[in-house]
Amino acid sequence: MNVTFFYVGSSLLAPLRNAEREINRAHALDLRIATYNFGAVLNEDQWHTVEADLSEADIVFVIHVMDGENAARLLPALEKYRSRHRAVIVINCMPDLMRQTRMGGLDLGRLLGKDISRKGAKTQSEPARLLSTVGSWVGRQARGGNGQKNGHGRQYLKLVDRLPGILRFVPSAGALRDVKNYLYVFCYFLQPTPANIRSMVLYAVKHYVPDEKLKRVRIPTPEKMPSVAIYHPDATRMFESFTAYQKWYTRQSLRSQVSTLKSAKRTLDSESTIGLLLMRPQVVSKTTKHYDQLIRAIESEGLNVIPVLSTLMDNREACEKFFLDDGRRTMDDKSKGPRAKGKTKTTDNGLRTTNNHRPSSIVHDRRPRVSQIVSLTGFSFVGGPAMNDSEAATEFLQDLNRPYRSAVSLEMQTIESWLGSQTGLNPVQMGMQIAIPEIDGATEPFVYGGIPGRGVEPVPLEDRCARFAKRLKRWNRLRTEPRDQLKLGLVLYCFPPTKGNIGTAADLDVFPSLWSTLNRLKADGYRVEAPASSDELRELLLGGRSEMFGATANIAYRMNSDEYGKLCPYVEEIERDWGAAPGRINSFCNDLLIYGLQLGNVFLGVQPTFGYEGDPMRLMMARSGAPHHGFMAFYTYLSQVFQADALVHVGTHGATEFMPGKQVGLSGECWPDRLIGELPNIYLYSVNNPSEGSIAKRRSYAELISYLTPPIENAGLYRNLATLKDLVMAYRQTTDEDERERLFELIDGYSGTLNFAS
């Protein structure tokens, strides 16, 4: 018996491998399950293997496959081997693939085509009506129906809960038999526990690949798991209410503190709790090693977690249930305390009163229970893998008013292929897990786990989990620490490297903007020593000790080579390209020079140059190479010496995000990742440059704050200046020497009459 699976994601592979092994052992079958992750790009050799497996398959499963090259190639292949396949079971796929579903007497393509052809018909065939009632969201799209834009996630949750009960009333014979079989398979899929995946395969084989060994086999009914719930790797169960999780979490932390002799009680405080959105199939199928490591890394930083199962289709339901405290309480008008006990009645104005006639009302105070939300699903916030409803997502997230991050697990390529790729993420993964979450407002596209080449389930990248957890802690510090205790590093640019180019940025008057920002920070409680004017700020930065060292800006700090070697772990790698530290750029004797100006708890620094001034493109996202010692020392100073809590890169744009490394989905070997490290990066960026703004977000984990472009128009020349311009142009173009001499005299005499001051 041959079964072939085409799927997208990483939650099915391990359960399918276990199912193959256990079914063969329990029932003495010769079952072979071939699996293909269609999120990955397949080469020609791999497609030859796909065709070979399709040509021998008795049953084909296609799950979560949307539009793309793989889907386009699969459609004709299914038609080619149509006569060989006993069943083709398609679940939650693009419409053209949904129509390929065939199980005995059920041919979804013919069935849907027949119903659609009845223009204006008010009735459907009984099987089509049943599928319309309980079919998947994508299945409804295949029939050409319009679902409710903002309701498909909630409908999906209802389907998960109600489908097993509905199927009890569907007859197992006649026209509905194969429809019921499809829906039973679908029901196992909705709850993808290892036992349910095993039962799903066995159910399909028993009904569509006749074998005497399976005639009397009883297949368990689907295990039921919560639609939304809280998961924790240390818990023996999932929690369907926040209160139950809170009680367990508090007891768990108390036990931990007793063992480590800590005295402070750990609670789910809203200012120190990270809300995690997990893929429900991963948790249900028990493939959670990458989640577990990240959860423990976050907790090791002193933060708390609420890891919530997501249904893929819509995260709002889980967020509302677990990340928001409804805060419903009855308040008494006079006492502002809890309503007095006693019988109540409703007055004409709708207020409830007790038997002592004091009016009271229900107060709704929706407050977030979390300080940040991190999606680990890899899909859009509303819509899942099938679509993106960014309008609904942004509306919900704006109301929630908490930072939204989207970290990346390598679902559609192996860890090895990612590490060896200059691009980083493949196009499918980049589009689905980076670009689409960005539309919802997600930031920090940090790779934290994935499937190894010879593995069957996701594993954590431990160093990346630790780095990401530290970044979350840094962001949290910005929310909770008193502002006068926070240190900020503001970074200006200077390219090409001259005094006249310090503080340049596209469409931004940098020094007045910077001076205004410093004063706003001071007014908001940050400890800032702001100069009296933007001109004074410029003079302080360009002057100071700059002349003493022949530098373009004031020297704020001298980092000797020994200190640099202790603080920076990448010195040896840099020396391969630039020689021994300190090098020739931003250096003096044995010191590396840090250009800038300290203004209280704010450091105003000047980013060093690329290093290849005649060819700056040489370093832009290069396959190899490194920033020079001066560049690395600047960011080392900000993080290790000045100990900034966050960076603000001022204006469009600097060089950090263009340093060598992967284009998207950076690793610890990529220089932008090394330069930024754990520092939150806030980037003032021109609103009319979204393409390079995306580079800053993806390669330096920047949070963009857009500024508008000024209303500029080409002024041109007027009056006598226009006449002078015409004379100069004529002088340049003529080859007649007599004419040139005459024009020169006119220009010389004419220019003397101009009053440029006016």
Side-chain angles (χ1 to χ4, degrees), residues 300-583:
S300 71
E301 293 298 326
L303 299 172
N304 306 313
V305 290
I306 306 177
V308 172
L309 273 67
S310 163
T311 62
L312 299 184
M313 307 300 284
D314 193 334
N315 288 298
R316 291 174 298 180
E317 187 91 359
C319 288
E320 287 176 348
K321 185 171 183 179
F322 300 115
F323 294 166
L324 276 172
D325 180 1
D326 193 1
R328 294 183 61 185
R329 55 192 184 278
T330 306
M331 299 296 292
D332 186 89
D333 262 9
K334 291 184 178 180
S335 66
K336 300 301 180 184
R339 179 173 57 88
K341 292 182 180 180
K343 295 182 179 180
T344 64
K345 65 179 181 179
T346 303
T347 63
D348 292 338
N349 61 6
L351 294 178
R352 297 191 302 167
T353 62
T354 63
N355 53 5
N356 59 5
H357 304 293
R358 291 192 302 174
S360 60
S361 61
I362 295 291
V363 177
H364 293 270
D365 184 15
R366 286 162 55 93
R367 292 172 293 181
R369 293 186 174 118
V370 296
S371 59
Q372 302 177 64
I373 296 175
V374 181
S375 173
L376 306 180
T377 69
F379 298 119
S380 58
F381 188 81
V382 178
M387 62 165 286
N388 174 250
D389 189 347
S390 60
E391 183 179 344
T394 52
E395 180 182 355
F396 180 87
L397 290 168
Q398 283 177 344
D399 183 57
L400 188 60
N401 195 27
R402 287 294 182 267
Y404 176 54
R405 328 269 184 214
S406 181
V408 177
S409 176
L410 300 167
E411 299 286 325
M412 301 159 198
Q413 63 192 112
T414 64
I415 292 174
E416 291 81 1
S417 69
W418 166 69
L419 285 173
S421 169
Q422 175 64 22
T423 302
L425 302 184
N426 67 31
V428 175
Q429 184 136 328
M430 194 277 288
M432 184 173 291
Q433 296 192 270
I434 301 291
I436 291 178
E438 280 179 348
I439 297 173
D440 296 336
T443 61
E444 301 271 331
F446 215 88
V447 178
Y448 71 96
I451 299 182
R454 297 182 178 275
V456 296
E457 62 179 304
V459 298
L461 300 167
E462 294 189 13
D463 61 322
R464 307 306 290 163
C465 288
R467 168 69 68 80
F468 187 46
K470 291 179 186 299
R471 289 189 60 82
L472 293 176
K473 183 179 181 179
R474 291 279 196 142
W475 279 112
N476 227 64
R477 176 176 164 80
L478 295 180
R479 289 182 53 84
T480 58
E481 196 72 11
R483 290 176 176 177
D484 63 355
Q485 299 299 308
L486 293 172
K487 291 185 174 182
L488 301 178
L490 276 61
V491 181
L492 303 186
Y493 312 125
C494 179
F495 182 81
T498 65
K499 283 184 180 290
N501 286 321
I502 288 182
T504 53
D507 298 321
L508 182 69
D509 195 353
V510 172
F511 279 99
S513 299
L514 188 60
W515 184 74
S516 176
T517 300
L518 291 173
N519 282 283
R520 175 62 185 270
L521 288 171
K522 185 175 182 178
D524 285 348
Y526 293 86
R527 192 162 67 83
V528 182
E529 298 170 4
S533 67
S534 61
D535 289 336
E536 183 179 336
L537 177 64
R538 181 188 292 106
E539 290 172 5
L540 287 172
L541 183 63
L542 270 63
R545 297 197 296 168
S546 63
E547 297 300 331
M548 184 186 308
F549 296 94
T552 55
N554 178 59
I555 305 303
Y557 189 79
R558 295 174 64 175
M559 182 183 293
N560 66 54
S561 296
D562 291 338
E563 181 185 15
Y564 172 58
K566 291 176 182 178
L567 296 177
C568 177
Y570 312 116
V571 174
E572 290 185 6
E573 291 183 56
I574 297 173
E575 288 180 340
R576 297 172 197 165
D577 290 291
W578 296 93

Side-chain angles (χ1 to χ4, degrees), residues 59 86-87 89 103-104 172 177-178 180-182 184-185 188 199-211 214-215 217 219:
I59 297 176
R86 296 175 181 267
I89 304 170
M103 300 170 66
S172 299
R177 181 190 63 188
D178 294 304
K180 183 174 183 177
N181 287 343
Y182 174 84
Y184 249 113
V185 169
Y188 286 117
S199 296
M200 179 179 76
V201 175
L202 191 59
Y203 189 96
V205 169
K206 176 181 178 179
H207 286 86
Y208 296 100
V209 188
D211 190 288
L214 297 178
K215 277 189 175 181
V217 171
I219 302 174

Side-chain angles (χ1 to χ4, degrees), residues 52 56 62 84 132 228 242 347 375 389 430 434 482 594 636 694:
E56 298 176 358
V62 188
R84 173 67 177 85
S132 178
V228 293
F242 173 77
T347 63
S375 173
D389 189 347
M430 194 277 288
I434 301 291
I594 308 301
T636 301
S694 295

